[in-house]
Amino acid sequence: MSQELSSLAEAIIAYQKKYDKTDGEMAYGSRLTVEKFHAIKTGELQPNHDEQNALQNFIAKRPS
C-alpha cells in the first residue's frame, strides 16, 4: 500500500470515528459498494482515480 493510500485509509477511519459513520454509510455517501469501500479502507484494493476522488470529497464534507 502506498503512502498516499495509507493516508486515505487513515483519513477514512478518522472521519468514521469522528462522525460515527458505518462502512455502509460511507460507501453510500461516496457511491461505492460496501465491499469495495471496505477493501479500499483495509488496503486490499487500490482505488482508481475516480474512487479516490469520491472518497476524498466525501470525507472533506461535514455530515448533515
Side-chain angles (χ1 to χ4, degrees):
M1 183 162 61
S2 75
Q3 183 62 35
E4 183 177 348
L5 294 177
S6 177
S7 297
L8 178 59
E10 288 176 17
I12 289 169
I13 293 166
Y15 183 94
Q16 285 185 285
K17 286 181 180 179
K18 182 175 182 177
Y19 296 113
D20 194 29
K21 296 290 182 186
T22 65
D23 282 0
E25 291 169 319
M26 296 290 292
Y28 181 79
S30 56
R31 303 195 189 291
L32 299 172
T33 65
V34 175
E35 292 81 5
K36 185 171 275 195
F37 172 81
H38 187 71
I40 291 168
K41 183 174 118 177
T42 61
E44 297 170 26
L45 178 72
Q46 267 191 294
N48 65 33
H49 181 72
D50 291 338
E51 293 164 342
Q52 188 166 349
N53 282 340
L55 286 164
Q56 288 173 331
N57 288 336
F58 184 78
I59 62 177
K61 297 184 221 169
R62 288 190 77 154
S64 12

